[in-house]
Amino acid sequence: TQGDAYAVIYGHADKAEAYAPAKVKSLAALDAKGTPLAIKRQDSGEAVRATLPQAPSLMTVHFDNGYWSKTGDDQPSKNLPKNEVPGAVSAVHSVKYGKTIFAWSPAAAKPRGQRLELVPLSAVAPTAGKSLPVQVLWDGKPLAGAKLVRAEYSKEAPIEAGADGKAQVPVAAGKQTLSVNRKQDLANDPKADSESVSANLVFTAR
């Protein structure tokens, strides 16, 4: 949150980056019962912010970071499709989904239709020192073998989900971020060779 508004942050809270507001394709907020809350969206030159009629239980975001093309290993990527960058040797389409739990409730433990999604399998706030059961979904179906990363402990080995897309995630005290990524090749797409889709789940443990 920033003042009385909720901001869509790209990057990390301590190192946020400016972005084009058009990259935020959708933004939703729900109360504890899963009822959508009216959002007043405010686009600025640096970020998208939203004001709500009440504090949400859950917010979700779909962020399309666009196409990133490279002309060489030692060259910075350009935020353009491959067919618009002369000499481009590779390109990736980057898409991100975010989910932030502000207050644990039944709404937090239900799928929300994101293409790649981390779903807590408990509606109760997790406790530090224990585990949070989660399931990874791709197009609404379990993603077998998905590798989950706890952002604050990025040097530790990823947590691998089972064939049912489920995993037990160790919980620490305070705010934390759980991430998963799925990359796949694209066939006959002049804009990119591959697609990188990631999803984050942000929550606070007691």
Side-chain angles (χ1 to χ4, degrees), residues 33-164:
K33 295 180 180 180
T35 304
L37 298 175
I39 289 181
K40 184 177 181 181
R41 175 169 164 163
Q42 303 161 346
D43 292 5
S44 71
E46 297 181 352
V48 171
R49 293 175 176 79
T51 52
L52 305 172
Q54 67 184 67
S57 172
L58 175 74
M59 291 189 75
T60 64
V61 63
H62 170 198
F63 188 97
D64 189 332
N65 201 29
Y67 295 88
W68 292 85
S69 300
K70 296 192 71 173
T71 55
D73 292 338
D74 58 344
Q75 299 297 318
S77 297
K78 295 183 178 181
N79 195 184
L80 291 169
K82 186 178 182 181
N83 57 353
E84 294 181 18
V85 179
V89 295
S90 65
V92 61
H93 182 202
S94 175
V95 181
K96 304 175 185 294
Y97 294 93
K99 183 187 292 185
T100 300
I101 298 172
F102 294 94
W104 287 83
S105 69
K110 293 181 180 179
R112 291 299 158 193
Q114 295 178 319
R115 190 179 181 197
L116 180 62
E117 185 172 8
L118 281 159
V119 183
L121 300 180
S122 172
V124 180
T127 303
K130 297 185 178 181
S131 296
L132 173 67
V134 300
Q135 186 174 36
V136 183
L137 301 179
W138 173 260
D139 284 336
K141 299 178 180 179
L143 182 59
K147 292 179 171 57
L148 292 78
V149 176
R150 296 195 297 165
E152 293 81 1
Y153 306 93
S154 58
K155 293 183 179 180
E156 69 180 14
I159 301 164
E160 187 167 340
D164 55 2

